[in-house]
Amino acid sequence: MEIPAGLTESAFFKLLGCRLHSLETGVAQVALALEPELRNRGGKLHGGALFSLVDIAMGLACSSTHGFDQQSATIECKINYIRAVADGEVICTARVIHPGRRTLVVEADVMQGDKLVAKAQGTFAVL
């Protein structure tokens, strides 16, 4: 997939320390290593960092579907399942399951190896 330079990594993507693992039409994989600044008081991956990872991967999956020349905005994003992560790296795989003209529905799984860390769903509007 041909992507214009600079469109896959926002400033927030870089601030969190995300890494683009793969990007295909309708599917994005984004990795995030558990660094000290991403930990909550209990030493686990902060829920806000996990939610941001999911939203970033979902947004990239949407852009790879409708084109990077258009923008989309998150209408709704919810995490249906979450498990604490204490170390290592997680990979979020987001898939567009309904590529409508005005809205897209996306599902995401966050994995650490073969263990499920989070499941999420989101709806995005094409602007």
Side-chain angles (χ1 to χ4, degrees), residues 31 45 95:
L45 178 62
R95 291 177 192 80

Side-chain angles (χ1 to χ4, degrees), residues 51-69:
F51 185 88
S52 295
L53 170 66
V54 166
D55 192 49
I56 287 167
M58 287 181 168
L60 286 170
C62 289
S63 292
S64 71
T65 298
H66 60 61
F68 281 86
D69 58 331

Side-chain angles (χ1 to χ4, degrees), residues 4-63:
L7 291 183
T8 59
E9 297 181 359
S10 68
F12 190 60
F13 177 103
K14 293 175 185 175
L15 180 67
L16 280 177
C18 292
R19 179 176 51 84
L20 184 61
H21 193 266
S22 67
L23 184 62
E24 300 172 21
T25 303
V27 181
Q29 285 190 322
V30 180
L32 181 65
L34 182 57
E35 299 295 339
E37 61 273 13
L38 298 178
R39 294 177 185 274
N40 63 20
R41 291 187 316 252
K44 309 291 189 224
L45 178 62
H46 192 283
L50 182 64
F51 185 88
S52 295
L53 170 66
V54 166
D55 192 49
I56 287 167
M58 287 181 168
L60 286 170
C62 289
S63 292

Side-chain angles (χ1 to χ4, degrees), residues 7 11 28 38 77 79 106:
L7 291 183
L38 298 178
C77 184
I79 294 179
V106 187

Side-chain angles (χ1 to χ4, degrees), residues 56-108:
I56 287 167
M58 287 181 168
L60 286 170
C62 289
S63 292
S64 71
T65 298
H66 60 61
F68 281 86
D69 58 331
Q70 294 187 41
Q71 293 183 343
S72 57
T74 308
I75 296 174
E76 177 188 22
C77 184
K78 64 180 181 175
I79 294 179
N80 300 319
Y81 168 81
I82 192 168
R83 179 179 64 81
V85 177
D87 58 12
E89 179 179 81
V90 294
I91 296 180
C92 179
T93 303
R95 291 177 192 80
V96 174
I97 60 171
H98 174 73
R101 288 180 359 132
R102 301 299 299 157
T103 59
L104 299 99
V105 179
V106 187
E107 288 184 342

